[in-house]
Amino acid sequence: CALPIWLAPVRAVEKAHFLETARHAVLKAVEFVAQSTKERPPRVDRHDLLGKEVKLDIDQRLSELLTYQLNETGIAVISEESPASHTIVDEVVWLIDPLDGSYNFLRSAGPSAVCVALLEGLSIQCGVVYDLQSNRLYSGGRGIGALCDGVPIAVSTQSRIESALVYTGVPSRMDMTNPQSLGRITNLLKHAQKIRMIGSAAVSLVNVASGIGDVYLEEAIMPWDVAAGIAVVEGAGGLVHARLTSRS
């Protein structure tokens, strides 16, 4: 008898199906964001990581909505906002960041995004990122291309760091006492033509996928922050030099 498609290696035709599912779930979440912010401004729910990371009331509500939508596929969902889901060990999972760039969203300080990715083991198969600031929908995956609002996108052809625009950041989990970490940032400042820290890993990555920037480099970042954006970069022809070491 035929096995459910998520028990076999995810193939291109299946990625397209899953991408459509992810797009639908993300657009439902975006509708919720628009309605919710009309009714009341976002509020801080709590602070994590010694006060450095802000969690909003809408983070949890978006997590519940996306999880409900994606559960219809029969595939387990790992969400940043659901610690209980972080122990899921299924081979194929949805990995979601309901609101990447929460602090930007709270202060209207820059971009934020809704992110959904499909993983097989530690391999990112496809992903969807909705930039809430620009109202653009990005999707893609290795072997299936990448789109922004339905239009194909591609990474830049820049190969020299001295001529590159590099996106980076200082995540809450970064050890600021580690000279190696600080040294890598100093090296970027020395060698890259321009550096941008915009407060959203996902939007940084889709900007690279679109050719707006040339490189994204960040350490101590969590998988849900980058998985969907990495999928779009790979679909746009980009190279990824680091892989996920854990899904949580």
Side-chain angles (χ1 to χ4, degrees), residues 27-222:
L27 289 174
K28 284 283 187 185
V30 171
E31 288 177 11
F32 175 80
V33 171
Q35 184 58 42
S36 177
T37 51
K38 277 183 185 177
E39 294 171 359
R40 67 181 186 190
R43 294 182 293 108
V44 175
D45 182 54
R46 68 183 192 278
H47 291 83
D48 290 343
L49 299 175
L50 301 177
K52 289 189 175 184
E53 187 163 281
V54 172
K55 296 294 183 181
L56 309 180
D57 57 338
I58 197 170
D59 286 89
Q60 185 61 42
R61 289 185 288 158
L62 279 173
S63 177
E64 292 168 1
L65 175 59
L66 285 166
T67 300
Y68 176 79
Q69 295 286 325
L70 295 169
N71 272 340
E72 294 182 359
T73 63
I75 298 174
V77 179
I78 297 176
S79 170
E80 175 183 7
E81 305 305 329
S82 175
S85 72
H86 297 177
T87 58
I88 291 172
V89 294
D90 295 16
E91 178 65 11
V92 178
V93 298
W94 294 108
L95 182 61
I96 68 173
D97 187 347
L99 186 60
D100 181 58
S102 296
Y103 193 77
N104 280 354
F105 188 80
L106 174 68
R107 300 286 301 270
S108 298
S112 54
V114 179
C115 308
V116 172
L118 183 74
L119 271 63
E120 183 176 20
L122 296 178
S123 176
I124 303 165
Q125 298 298 314
C126 57
V128 175
V129 174
Y130 192 98
D131 181 343
L132 292 164
Q133 185 179 54
S134 68
N135 289 314
R136 289 177 178 152
L137 178 70
Y138 297 85
S139 61
R142 198 179 329 133
I144 58 173
L147 303 173
C148 173
D149 290 339
V151 178
I153 55 175
V155 295
S156 79
T157 58
Q158 183 56 250
S159 60
R160 297 179 64 251
I161 189 67
E162 293 81 6
S163 302
L165 190 161
V166 178
Y167 285 97
T168 188
V170 183
S172 304
R173 290 173 176 80
M174 184 172 172
D175 182 3
M176 299 302 292
T177 65
N178 184 343
Q180 287 186 330
S181 297
L182 297 176
R184 279 189 277 272
I185 292 178
T186 302
N187 269 337
L188 273 183
L189 293 172
K190 282 181 183 177
H191 298 296
Q193 185 171 56
K194 291 292 180 182
I195 303 288
R196 293 291 180 266
M197 296 186 183
I198 62 174
S200 168
V203 176
S204 297
L205 282 160
V206 296
N207 283 351
V208 170
S210 302
I212 296 169
D214 305 299
V215 178
Y216 165 79
L217 177 64
E218 196 160 351
E219 60 180 68
I221 196 78
M222 298 303 289

